[in-house]
Amino acid sequence: MAGRPSARWGLRDAGGNGVVMVAAQRPRVDHGDPWFRRYPVDGARVRLVCFPHAGGTATGYFGWPQLLPDGVELLAVQYPGRQNRIAEPCFESLPELAAAVAVALKAHTGLPLVMFGHSMGSAVAYEVARALRQDGQEVPRLMVSGRGAPHVGYGGRRRPGLDDASLIAVVRALSGTDADAYEHPDMRELLMPSLRADYTMLDRYRPAAPEERLDVPVTVFGGEDDPACPVAELASWEEVTGAGSEVLTYPGGHFYLREHERALVAEVARRLPLAGGPAA
C-alpha cells in the first residue's frame, strides 16, 4: 500500500527457494507532539484520532496503523501522567482534558478529523468533537466504544472507590490479566496515579443531556457481555446527536476490541471519508 509500510517482509535462501524469515515491520511513528503518537502516511486524506480508556495509553492503538487503508493518518492520544509524559501532572477534570486535546489538535487540522474513543475515551472524544465543531473544524463522524452517552455515565451503577484496592478490583473485573501489572509494587507505584486521576475525572463528570445536539453522526461499538456497559446502554448515544447513530456489538466483555481488533478496525475504516484524492 502506498504511503504505509508493508506489514511483513521476507528473506529468501541462497537458491531463491522461498521465504526463510518473516517478521512484522513497525509502522512509522512521530513523537514530536507529546499529545499524540502520530503515524504519518503519504497523501493523507483523513486523520483518525483515538482516545484511550481510563488508565490507558496511546500504545493501546499500536496495532491499528497496519490495519487501516491508505489515506488514513492515525493520532493516538497520550494523556499526561503516563509513559513518556509520566512526569506531567494528570488531569482530574474531563472537560479540561478535552479542551487541552482540542487545542493540541489545532496543529493537525487541514484534514477531516474523525474521533474514536473507548470507555472513558468515548467521553473525551465526544467533548473534543463538540469543541472542534464549535470552532468550525470538520468532524465527519464520532465513533465511541464501551460506554453509554455522557449524560448516562455509569447508568446508576455504583461508582468504584478511589483507593488502590477498589481501583485494582475494577481493572481486574474488566480486563483480566491486564491487572497483573498492578500486583507488582514498582509498577503499581507508576500506574496508580494516572488510574486514580482518570477515575476521579469520571466521578466528577456528570453532564446533563445536551440542550443542543451534536451535528455529527455517531457509531457506537460494544461488547455483548460488557459488565461496565450493557448493550442496552449503547443506544443512549442517539440522544446526543441530530445526525443519526448506529450500534454494532461483538462477542466479549469490556475489552472485546482486543480479540476483535481486525474486525473492529475494518468497520471503523468503512466509515471514514476516503472518497476522492489526497488533500492538497
Side-chain angles (χ1 to χ4, degrees):
M1 295 188 295
R4 191 181 298 281
S6 171
R8 306 187 72 81
W9 56 267
L11 298 176
R12 295 183 177 273
D13 63 18
N17 294 320
V19 173
V20 295
M21 181 184 296
V22 177
Q25 284 187 342
R26 292 178 177 271
R28 289 187 295 161
V29 58
D30 179 358
H31 298 274
D33 186 334
W35 276 102
F36 308 105
R37 297 279 176 90
R38 174 174 169 259
Y39 297 86
V41 297
D42 299 329
R45 303 197 297 275
V46 62
R47 291 191 173 101
L48 176 62
V49 187
C50 294
F51 297 79
H53 58 277
T57 67
T59 53
Y61 294 101
F62 176 79
W64 285 41
Q66 296 180 81
L67 301 175
L68 289 166
D70 291 342
V72 183
E73 181 173 280
L74 188 142
L75 298 175
V77 178
Q78 186 75 296
Y79 307 136
R82 58 213 81 193
Q83 291 187 333
N84 59 306
R85 306 187 72 183
I86 191 71
E88 299 179 46
C90 299
F91 278 78
E92 294 190 353
S93 164
L94 195 145
E96 290 179 4
L97 171 61
V101 176
V103 170
L105 278 171
K106 290 184 177 181
H108 302 277
T109 55
L111 293 176
L113 297 175
V114 173
M115 309 287 128
F116 176 93
H118 177 64
S119 196
M120 181 190 82
S122 296
V124 185
Y126 166 75
E127 292 291 351
V128 172
R130 288 184 61 200
L132 292 174
R133 290 301 300 127
Q134 290 172 1
D135 203 34
Q137 169 66 33
E138 182 180 0
V139 181
R141 184 173 293 270
L142 170 64
M143 298 192 230
V144 294
S145 168
R147 182 179 171 87
H151 63 284
V152 174
Y154 281 82
R157 292 182 297 282
R158 186 176 67 85
R159 294 171 183 255
L162 297 176
D163 59 285
D164 287 8
S166 296
L167 291 175
I168 292 172
V170 170
V171 173
R172 183 171 295 283
L174 294 181
S175 56
T177 57
D178 281 5
D180 291 345
Y182 292 91
E183 302 302 328
H184 299 278
D186 291 342
M187 289 298 296
R188 183 167 60 244
E189 185 177 353
L190 290 174
L191 297 173
M192 287 307 303
S194 60
L195 183 68
R196 182 175 295 103
D198 289 350
Y199 272 94
T200 297
M201 286 197 298
L202 290 172
D203 193 55
R204 295 173 176 173
Y205 179 65
R206 303 188 186 186
E211 296 181 5
E212 182 176 348
R213 293 190 175 198
L214 193 64
D215 62 342
V216 173
V218 179
T219 299
V220 190
F221 300 96
E224 294 171 0
D225 299 305
D226 184 350
C229 180
V231 170
E233 204 166 287
L234 299 174
S236 61
W237 283 95
E238 68 184 7
E239 300 171 30
V240 304
T241 177
S245 65
E246 59 178 344
V247 175
L248 290 82
T249 59
Y250 294 85
H254 192 61
F255 287 99
Y256 73 90
L257 68 174
R258 292 173 180 164
E259 57 187 300
H260 300 289
E261 182 178 67
R262 184 174 295 273
L264 174 62
V265 175
E267 292 297 337
V268 168
R270 290 189 185 100
R271 289 157 177 81
L272 298 176
L274 288 171

